[in-house]
């Protein structure tokens, strides 16, 4: 699959319908960065009139995961990936449009190369931070990803 926002968003519809229904969309993706947006709406709210933490988590994980998938595809190797741990911090109510960014494409590429060279599994901690329309951080997620060359 070619990694364009429109193709990835179509992928969401068919493979991750809960993310699609809650409004998660890819805004942009490059070698170093993935940007995912989601707008606070009725379908993704909590009882406190802000975005449910799990929707934020889906958007954050998707920003790290889609960047990982892109880097794996570009490596030409068959590599498995799995989230093995997650930590989150919430600092402000998530209302309006929230944008999650993961800017660690270079780190992912380094870990993939290390896995290829050593033929051993690797772990990498990727961070996605969500910002509201004013540019204020509302939440920050750290995902520990495990990667391994498939035999």
């Amino acid at each position: 699959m070619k990694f364009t926002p429109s193709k990835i968003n179509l992928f969401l519809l068919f493979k991750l319908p809960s993310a699609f229904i809650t409004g998660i969309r890819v805004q942009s993706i490059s070698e170093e960065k993935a940007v995912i947006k989601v707008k606070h709406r009725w379908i993704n709210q909590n009882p406190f009139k802000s975005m449910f933490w799990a929707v934020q988590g889906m958007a954050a994980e998707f920003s790290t995961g889609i960047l990982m998938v892109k880097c794996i595809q570009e490596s030409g190797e068959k590599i498995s990936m799995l989230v093995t741990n997650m930590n989150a911090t919430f600092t402000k109510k998530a209302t309006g449009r929230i944008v999650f960014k993961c800017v660690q494409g270079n780190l992912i590429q380094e870990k993939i190369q290390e896995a290829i060279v050593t033929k051993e599994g690797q772990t990498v901690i990727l961070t996605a931070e969500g910002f509201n329309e004013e540019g204020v951080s509302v939440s920050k997620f750290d995902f520990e990803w495990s990667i391994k060359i498939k035999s």
Side-chain angles (χ1 to χ4, degrees), residues 33-52:
K33 174 170 73 170
V35 181
I36 309 298
K37 63 183 178 178
V38 59
K39 186 175 181 181
H40 173 234
R41 303 182 305 168
W42 173 84
I43 194 77
N44 63 25
Q45 71 182 345
N46 62 29
F48 310 106
K49 300 181 183 175
S50 63
M51 192 179 299
F52 185 50

Side-chain angles (χ1 to χ4, degrees), residues 6-133:
S6 60
K7 287 192 178 189
I8 298 168
N9 290 331
L10 189 60
F11 169 85
L12 273 176
L13 175 62
F14 292 106
K15 298 293 184 181
L16 296 168
S18 61
F20 189 85
I21 290 167
T22 57
I24 294 170
R25 300 292 185 274
V26 176
Q27 185 171 317
S28 65
I29 188 165
S30 68
E31 300 294 318
E32 303 86 29
K33 174 170 73 170
V35 181
I36 309 298
K37 63 183 178 178
V38 59
K39 186 175 181 181
H40 173 234
R41 303 182 305 168
W42 173 84
I43 194 77
N44 63 25
Q45 71 182 345
N46 62 29
F48 310 106
K49 300 181 183 175
S50 63
M51 192 179 299
F52 185 50
W53 72 269
V55 175
Q56 294 179 63
M58 280 194 295
E61 182 187 3
F62 197 64
S63 71
T64 64
I66 198 65
L67 196 53
M68 179 79 77
V69 170
K70 180 177 177 18
C71 291
I72 288 171
Q73 183 184 39
E74 290 172 354
S75 77
E77 297 287 335
K78 291 185 177 185
I79 300 174
S80 63
M81 54 188 267
L82 177 69
V83 172
T84 56
N85 198 3
M86 187 275 296
N87 185 41
T89 305
F90 302 91
T91 52
K92 186 168 177 59
K93 278 182 132 180
T95 58
R97 187 175 306 266
I98 308 298
V99 175
F100 284 90
K101 297 177 185 179
C102 178
V103 295
Q104 296 172 290
N106 292 333
L107 177 60
I108 296 169
Q109 291 169 7
E110 288 173 18
K111 286 295 185 176
I112 288 171
Q113 285 306 309
E114 195 173 330
I116 293 168
V117 169
T118 65
K119 304 285 189 226
E120 295 178 359
Q122 302 294 320
T123 60
V124 59
I125 295 175
L126 301 178
T127 300
E129 191 164 6
F131 299 91
N132 65 15
E133 293 162 301

